[in-house]
Amino acid sequence: MALTILAALAIFVVLAFFRASIASWVLAVIAIVAVVAIQESFSDSVLLAVGAVLLSLILLFGVPLLRGIVISSIVLKIFRKILPHISATEQEAINAGTVWWDGDLFGGNPDWNKLLAFPKCGLSEAEQAFLDNEVDQLCALLDDWDITHNRADLSPEAWQFIRIKGFFGMIIPKKYGGLEFSAQAHSAVVSKVASRSGTAAVTVMVPNSLGPAELLLHYGTDEQKEKYLRRLAYGIEVPCFALTGPFAGSDAGAIPDYGVVCHGEFAGKKNVLGIRLNWEKRYITLAPVATLLGLAFKLYDLDRLLGGEVNRGITLALIPTDTPGVKIGRRHFPLNSAFMNGPTQGKDVFIPMDFIIGGVSGIGQGWRMLMECLAAGRSISLPASSIGGMKMAARTSGAYSRVRKQFHLPIGKFEGVEEPLARIGAHTYMVDAARRFTALALDMGEKPSVISAIVKYHATERGRIVINDAMDVHGGKGICLGPDNYLARDYQQTPIGITVEGANILTRTMIIFGQGAIRSHPYVLKEITAVHDRNHRRALRQFDEALFGHIGFILSNAARSFILGLTNGRGISVPRGSETRRYYQQLTRLSAAFALSADVAMVALGGSLKRREKISARLGDVLSQMYLCSATLKRFEDDGRPAEDLPLLHWAMQDALYKIQQAFDGVIQNFPDALAHSILSVLVFPLGLRLSPPSDHLGHEIATLLMRPGAPRDRLTAGMYLPQNERDAVGALEAALHSTLESEPLQAELEKAHKAGSLKSLEELPRILEARDQGIVTEEQALQLQRDYALRRKVIMVDDFAPEQLRVNK
């Protein structure tokens, strides 16, 4: 009997592991009962009763029609009562975008061969040429200290160059005069510009993000496209888009700005059917200099001039800023950044109906338009601008750590400095992988709404970690503002990216898992759709299929999570490569555990999960880290599996896997339901917490990599702007790194001679001349040492000012 019970358990586990159908489960129960009956010699009456029960189960679970009537219809009624109401704006947000690799991660069993089969990231010849020429030329025009301290604006030359070279038209098709760049090229351009100037990066990226051009491309009428796209591409029009206001920030669906359908006078014509608008917006980038204003507002048809409902919903319009009643020009001053950002107001502004994006058919479609287009801004602009700053911080921190010495030792060789250098290098490696991978998704036609939230959050948050670490490494060099400080403005302005396009607190606690649990889950959206379907027969059929598919999904992931937890993923078939095999296996195991935990949270907490933001945030952390790991593994493969990059790969992966473990533990330890807490503890971590953070040795290897010129360092920071002028602070630092390494053997000779008493000079420059005169070094070597001293001095020195230079002009 004991063997029969063990065999039964084994059968159930196997069925769950391989996601067997409900019918298979029933047949397994029949077989087991039959064996037990034979063994125990039950009486005929008992066997008959058992047979009747089993037959009922077969009919109940094996016949969809009967199952739907008896079980699914009852559950559907319950769901309709307990499921939280989803507003129209929430539904449009859920429906927006597409499911991509996040669906595989939510499925509990990612297909890694599918991941590696995605195309390699790369640029066309024309895109690469633009990056190497026009973008470098623009960067050479940018003096960030002059921009942020003296002008509070880009120079006229930079503005003109941006306009005439097509930077405002990267997403606009060539037939309208645009560059028609891929998402990868768009991202690469913003990234390189951001490595030079945050102000210029924002100026370039906003017209190519959520705004008039993108909205026109997707939803504009032919007349609107012909009227505006060419002018936008050539920089004749400067666009902005106004959504956020004083009383509607993250809750953009609550905007109080409104328009009323009425008749009015426009362009000398009377009795024109149009809209009278009133709005107050803030934080609008490019608004102070915009010539074309995109506006989101709620439209009302109080007199029913259009027929139908009075409340027509959120609508978008394009308004020339010289339209009477439009106010622009005043500026905000976000953390000493000089990009154009400010408020705009409109008082009784009358516009004709053809100003609505999409014309009359676009009425009430504004929220859907915004949600569908938001993925581009989150997927490209903010990750690209973040990684530009991160690459600059990585390259300069490594170089400074090698050039700057204390106690006769480069500061980067102190373990206390190695630690932040390791974080800088590994976070830069992983975030750039995610940036490239996400841009690839857009080029494949995806609009990954959940992934865009993941990459926006983690690019900006890790960017904050990197710039903080870079400031610590640079010490006093980092905190003194001036023309030679290449970190401080980035440090000051980092919170801007964290705040905009969905504040990071909101993104982590409500969007990533909250939207992902519905959008990326293989069954939840189907169940919700069925619940809200008013066609009862269709709803019941779809709900039945989704419900029992979901039940099988939960059972499968429970079994797989437990078994793979016991083996730590060993034995799973994964792509080749001894360096990465265990990472693929561990991620598969954690994906199954995540799918199970997500379902347990949704079942146990129901509608209250929406308010359990800390649990939702931790589950979102798990999903996010799995996505970042996937992108990192894909990058390593696409780069040709370079052995020199393994320290970066290992540190990034081990750190992410450890954070996944900690996030799971946070979910389980804080789960309010005791039973669910116990179940998850056993199924997710049957052997306890086994993963560890990266070792100190890995950190040492990364620090060494950052401080040494070579291919790994170049790959890590590829795509940043690297000035060749030694008068430039970054250019001088790069030159100083090479000079230091070349001159250290000569420095050692001088130090040896000084200790022997041959050289009497106490200062470095006179000592070099003394060594030259004594023949210790040649004339050429003396010149080399003098140049090295000058470069090191420029790198180490900080800016200072006469008092009158720091007074604000009255």
Side-chain angles (χ1 to χ4, degrees):
M1 183 65 179
L3 289 174
T4 303
I5 293 173
L6 289 174
L9 289 173
I11 290 171
F12 290 150
V13 168
V14 170
L15 288 172
F17 193 87
F18 291 102
R19 299 186 177 179
S21 65
I22 295 296
S24 299
W25 281 83
V26 174
L27 291 174
V29 172
I30 293 172
I32 292 165
V33 171
V35 172
V36 173
I38 293 171
Q39 286 184 343
E40 302 298 328
S41 301
F42 288 141
S43 64
D44 292 344
S45 60
V46 172
L47 289 173
L48 186 62
V50 170
V53 171
L54 290 175
L55 180 61
S56 299
L57 289 173
I58 292 172
L59 293 173
L60 187 59
F61 290 99
V63 180
L65 180 62
L66 184 60
R67 183 179 69 201
I69 294 172
V70 177
I71 299 176
S72 298
S73 61
I74 296 173
V75 178
L76 179 60
K77 289 179 182 178
I78 295 171
F79 268 52
R80 282 176 167 161
K81 289 181 180 179
I82 66 173
L83 196 69
H85 172 70
I86 298 178
S87 67
T89 53
E90 287 178 316
Q91 188 64 53
E92 287 178 339
I94 290 169
N95 292 339
T98 59
V99 177
W100 191 51
W101 184 246
D102 47 323
D104 289 69
L105 296 173
F106 241 107
N109 192 20
D111 182 351
W112 300 113
N113 289 315
K114 172 184 171 182
L115 173 81
L116 300 183
F118 289 136
K120 288 186 178 181
C121 301
L123 307 180
S124 69
E125 287 186 13
E127 291 169 341
Q128 188 63 54
F130 187 87
L131 197 66
D132 294 339
N133 294 289
E134 283 84 351
V135 178
D136 274 7
Q137 293 168 31
L138 172 61
C139 289
L141 290 172
L142 302 173
D143 178 341
D144 205 45
W145 176 250
D146 181 56
I147 291 168
T148 57
H149 183 73
N150 298 326
R151 297 177 184 274
D153 192 5
L154 296 174
S155 68
E157 294 80 12
W159 272 108
Q160 181 66 6
F161 191 86
I162 287 170
R163 284 188 167 104
I164 65 174
K165 294 299 182 180
F167 281 85
F168 284 172
M170 285 191 287
I171 66 170
I172 296 175
K174 292 178 181 178
K175 69 176 183 178
Y176 295 112
L179 298 175
E180 200 172 346
F181 277 176
S182 66
Q184 292 177 74
H186 176 188
S187 176
V189 170
V190 172
S191 176
K192 178 173 271 194
V193 176
S195 71
R196 185 63 169 171
S197 166
T199 297
V202 172
T203 303
V204 167
M205 76 188 192
V206 166
N208 294 285
S209 184
L210 176 60
E214 186 175 16
L215 292 166
L216 284 171
L217 285 171
H218 293 291
Y219 312 108
T221 64
D222 290 340
E223 292 79 7
Q224 289 171 338
K225 292 177 182 178
E226 289 293 336
K227 181 177 181 180
Y228 287 119
L229 285 179
R230 198 172 301 275
R231 294 175 61 83
L232 288 167
Y234 292 156
I236 299 169
E237 300 282 3
V238 177
C240 71
F241 187 81
L243 174 62
T244 303
F247 298 98
S250 297
D251 184 13
I255 53 175
D257 314 286
Y258 67 92
V260 177
V261 179
C262 62
H263 287 94
E265 182 176 344
F266 187 80
K269 296 181 180 179
K270 296 183 178 181
N271 203 34
V272 175
L273 182 63
I275 303 166
R276 193 164 301 282
L277 291 160
N278 289 274
W279 73 83
E280 183 180 20
K281 305 287 191 179
R282 63 179 180 178
Y283 310 149
I284 311 305
T285 300
L286 295 184
V289 295
T291 61
L292 186 63
L293 170 73
L295 183 72
F297 59 94
K298 289 181 177 176
L299 181 63
Y300 299 93
D301 185 9
L302 301 178
D303 296 327
R304 299 183 187 272
L305 298 176
L306 303 176
E309 300 293 327
V310 170
N311 185 350
R312 305 305 294 265
I314 295 176
T315 302
L316 310 182
L318 289 181
I319 307 169
T321 56
D322 58 2
T323 303
V326 176
K327 292 183 180 179
I328 61 168
R330 294 189 64 81
R331 294 178 61 179
H332 300 309
F333 192 31
L335 295 176
N336 273 355
S337 182
F339 66 87
M340 291 293 162
N341 182 277
T344 173
Q345 300 87 27
K347 178 67 175 176
D348 292 333
V349 178
F350 183 80
I351 62 170
M353 299 300 288
D354 59 10
F355 278 23
I356 296 172
I357 296 177
V360 175
S361 62
I363 291 175
Q365 301 300 308
W367 189 247
R368 176 181 64 83
M369 295 176 183
L370 292 174
M371 289 300 99
E372 290 177 352
C373 291
L374 187 59
R378 286 179 176 164
S379 298
I380 297 178
S381 300
L382 292 168
S385 59
S386 292
I387 197 60
M390 292 170 76
K391 287 180 178 181
M392 185 272 296
R395 196 167 184 104
T396 57
S397 295
Y400 187 80
S401 296
R402 188 62 183 80
V403 172
R404 178 67 163 145
K405 294 180 180 180
Q406 291 288 276
F407 309 103
H408 306 290
L409 194 68
I411 63 171
K413 294 190 176 183
F414 290 92
E415 289 192 353
V417 178
E418 282 186 349
E419 196 169 28
L421 285 178
R423 287 193 294 266
I424 290 170
H427 286 325
T428 301
Y429 184 80
M430 179 169 267
V431 169
D432 200 31
R435 175 193 68 84
R436 289 162 51 178
F437 189 46
T438 307
L440 173 66
L442 295 176
D443 285 331
M444 293 172 63
E446 301 290 341
K447 293 183 178 180
S449 54
V450 175
I451 285 174
S452 69
I454 290 172
V455 74
K456 183 269 176 181
Y457 173 83
H458 284 276
T460 54
E461 285 296 336
R462 290 178 186 236
R464 169 155 55 184
I465 293 170
V466 165
I467 192 62
N468 283 345
D469 280 337
M471 290 289 285
D472 286 349
V473 168
H474 281 73
K477 173 74 174 178
I479 63 173
C480 292
L481 284 170
D484 282 345
N485 190 323
Y486 40 78
L487 290 177
R489 291 306 195 204
D490 233 14
Y491 174 76
Q492 287 180 305
Q493 295 160 19
T494 290
I496 298 172
I498 285 166
T499 301
V500 300
E501 293 193 22
N504 277 9
I505 290 177
L506 171 74
T507 300
R508 176 175 178 260
T509 58
M510 298 180 68
I511 295 177
I512 293 175
F513 181 76
Q515 190 172 356
I518 298 174
R519 197 72 180 89
S520 305
H521 193 286
Y523 296 103
V524 169
L525 184 58
K526 296 176 183 177
E527 290 166 334
I528 292 175
T529 301
V531 166
H532 291 95
D533 192 342
R534 295 184 179 182
N535 185 318
H536 181 72
R537 181 176 296 180
R538 181 176 61 207
L540 183 57
R541 183 180 70 254
Q542 293 176 348
F543 184 78
D544 176 77
E545 292 175 359
L547 175 64
F548 282 90
H550 198 162
I551 292 171
F553 181 71
I554 293 173
L555 293 173
S556 169
N557 285 318
R560 294 180 71 252
S561 179
F562 180 72
I563 293 172
L564 297 178
L566 291 174
T567 66
N568 198 21
R570 288 182 173 84
I572 300 172
S573 177
V574 295
R576 64 177 179 84
S578 58
E579 307 95 337
T580 56
R581 179 176 56 86
R582 290 293 296 132
Y583 296 138
Y584 287 114
Q585 291 176 334
Q586 289 169 325
L587 284 170
T588 301
R589 173 225 162 179
L590 293 169
S591 177
F594 170 71
L596 171 67
S597 302
D599 277 320
V600 169
M602 286 186 281
V603 171
L605 300 178
S608 69
L609 179 58
K610 191 175 182 180
R611 298 184 297 277
R612 300 276 184 175
E613 294 171 14
K614 295 175 185 176
I615 288 178
S616 178
R618 294 185 183 107
L619 288 170
D621 291 342
V622 175
L623 178 60
S624 297
Q625 298 291 349
M626 290 194 297
Y627 178 76
L628 295 175
C629 285
S630 302
T632 303
L633 290 168
K634 168 71 170 164
R635 172 187 180 156
F636 183 68
E637 294 288 342
D638 286 355
D639 287 351
R641 306 174 61 82
E644 305 98 320
D645 292 357
L646 281 173
L648 295 165
L649 173 77
H650 288 319
W651 201 103
M653 293 297 297
Q654 291 171 24
D655 176 68
L657 291 170
Y658 179 74
K659 287 176 178 174
I660 289 173
Q661 174 183 264
Q662 299 310 107
F664 268 132
D665 189 49
V667 170
I668 294 169
Q669 297 304 323
N670 292 280
F671 214 88
D673 185 281
L675 178 61
H677 168 91
S678 300
I679 291 172
L680 287 178
S681 296
V682 173
L683 295 180
V684 175
F685 294 123
L687 299 179
L689 307 180
R690 306 289 295 275
L691 296 172
S692 301
S695 68
D696 291 345
H697 179 68
L698 272 179
H700 168 75
E701 291 186 306
I702 293 174
T704 302
L705 180 153
L706 287 178
M707 292 190 291
R708 185 171 57 213
R713 181 171 178 262
D714 290 341
R715 276 193 297 271
L716 179 66
T717 59
M720 70 168 281
Y721 176 68
L722 198 57
Q724 302 301 311
N725 185 350
E726 292 181 8
R727 292 191 299 273
D728 182 280
V730 176
L733 177 57
E734 191 71 13
L737 173 62
H738 291 270
S739 176
T740 295
L741 296 174
E742 292 167 1
S743 300
E744 279 183 345
L746 296 175
Q747 294 280 7
E749 289 295 322
L750 265 64
E751 183 65 22
K752 181 180 177 182
H754 179 65
K755 287 182 177 179
S758 301
L759 299 177
K760 307 297 184 181
S761 299
L762 299 178
E763 296 182 16
E764 186 171 347
L765 284 177
R767 188 181 302 166
I768 294 170
L769 296 177
E770 188 179 1
R772 179 199 63 189
D773 294 341
Q774 294 185 22
I776 297 173
V777 295
T778 66
E779 178 73 28
E780 183 179 351
Q781 289 171 332
L783 290 174
Q784 177 184 335
L785 287 169
Q786 288 172 328
R787 176 176 179 270
D788 178 64
Y789 174 82
L791 286 170
R792 284 187 288 111
R793 179 175 173 80
K794 179 170 178 57
V795 166
I796 293 168
M797 297 300 290
V798 300
D799 297 288
D800 54 65
F801 304 88
E804 60 270 15
Q805 289 180 287
L806 297 179
R807 295 192 187 112
V808 177
N809 294 327
K810 299 296 183 182

